[in-house]
């Protein structure tokens, strides 16, 4: 158990809908990262938050947004869903203040299926 | 792109044999990390090697880093069926420290 909790584990939704994925980082970790994993694109970095502030942005679509709350949990919002958004979405956390200077701990992921 | 590339894409060996996976990357790095992923599960950190280190050991794992060639290798000795998984290298380079992953090597260890 990595200590990172992601909910829900599975999500099936229709095209055009909006979903929210939730992540609770390890106790004491201030950085939260979101990744998308699909068969064709591999593991893609989406966005990083540190102590409530956006720190780095990757290949995140405009239809997607995220935030980190004062209690350090994070949510990834995916809207106007398309079939191609079907993927595993991972959250990771680390203690590093500036980013991945140390290891990242991954949650078990949310498997999103858009039908 | 900072994305690393693992080689080979897939590797099948017998239990007890050694498995070697290679990783190349394109930019300067602060450190390079190896992760393991069992099918459909979360990634698990295996080992981190800093840019000023050349070799690191952890149990049956041995990682080397050659910054002049921008490459790293992961050696798993005396493999077990339970080592069957995908292995990813990830580098932390650039100005924003995000971890960039390669596409992974799928290792199958046959009992």
């Amino acid at each position: 158990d990595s200590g990172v909790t992601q909910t829900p584990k599975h999500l099936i939704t229709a095209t055009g809908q909006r979903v929210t994925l939730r992540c609770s980082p390890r106790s004491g970790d201030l950085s939260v990262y979101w990744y998308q994993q699909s068969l064709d694109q591999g593991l893609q970095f989406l966005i990083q938050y540190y102590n409530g502030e956006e720190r780095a942005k990757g290949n995140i679509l405009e239809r997607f947004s995220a935030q980190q709350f004062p209690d350090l949990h994070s949510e990834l919002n995916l809207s106007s869903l398309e079939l191609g958004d079907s993927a595993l979405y991972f959250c990771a956390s680390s203690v590093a203040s500036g980013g991945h200077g140390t290891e990242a701990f991954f949650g078990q992921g949310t498997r999103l299926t858009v039908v | 792109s900072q994305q690393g590339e693992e080689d080979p894409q897939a590797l099948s060996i017998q239990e007890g044999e050694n498995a070697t996976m290679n990783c190349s990357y394109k930019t300067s790095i602060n450190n390079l990390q190896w992760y393991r992923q069992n099918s459909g599960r979360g990634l698990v950190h295996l080992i981190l090697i800093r840019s000023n280190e050349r070799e690191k050991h952890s149990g049956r794992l041995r990682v080397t880093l050659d910054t002049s060639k921008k490459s790293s290798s992961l050696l798993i000795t005396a493999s077990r069926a339970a080592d069957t998984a995908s292995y990813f290298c990830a580098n932390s380079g650039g100005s924003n420290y995000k971890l960039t992953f390669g596409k992974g090597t799928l290792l199958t260890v046959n009992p």
Side-chain angles (χ1 to χ4, degrees), chain B residues 35-109:
Chain B
Y35 287 80
R36 163 197 169 122
Q37 183 182 32
N38 287 69
S39 179
R41 313 262 307 173
L43 281 77
V44 175
H45 181 268
L46 295 176
I47 196 166
L48 179 153
I49 186 166
R50 301 197 185 280
S51 58
N52 60 353
E53 297 176 311
R54 292 296 168 258
E55 187 171 313
K56 202 161 183 179
H57 296 255
S58 177
R60 293 185 295 114
L61 306 180
R62 172 178 167 252
V63 168
T64 63
L65 179 64
D66 187 335
T67 52
S68 66
K69 295 181 180 176
K70 291 187 168 55
S71 67
S72 173
S73 68
L74 171 67
L75 168 67
I76 303 175
T77 60
S79 64
R80 306 165 182 167
D83 294 329
T84 294
S86 291
Y87 292 83
F88 295 86
C89 68
N91 70 76
S92 176
S95 60
N96 56 14
Y97 289 83
K98 71 183 187 208
L99 258 187
T100 303
F101 287 83
K103 291 192 183 299
T105 292
L106 176 59
L107 173 66
T108 302
V109 181

Side-chain angles (χ1 to χ4, degrees), chain A residues 17-79:
Chain A
Q17 295 298 304
R18 171 190 168 94
V19 297
T20 297
L21 312 183
R22 183 188 168 101
C23 169
S24 294
R26 282 192 329 153
S27 177
D29 285 356
L30 299 179
S31 282
V32 169
Y33 312 81
W34 285 97
Y35 289 85
Q36 178 194 59
Q37 186 177 38
S38 59
L39 282 175
D40 55 342
Q41 294 292 323
L43 201 60
Q44 297 287 320
F45 168 74
L46 295 178
I47 198 163
Q48 177 207 350
Y49 280 85
Y50 172 71
N51 203 20
E53 293 188 6
E54 183 184 303
R55 184 57 63 96
K57 217 166 187 176
N59 302 320
I60 187 166
L61 300 172
E62 285 191 12
R63 299 183 287 109
F64 297 179
S65 65
Q67 55 183 328
Q68 187 179 28
F69 295 88
D71 67 352
L72 300 177
H73 91 270
S74 178
E75 292 181 356
L76 178 67
N77 300 297
L78 315 175
S79 61

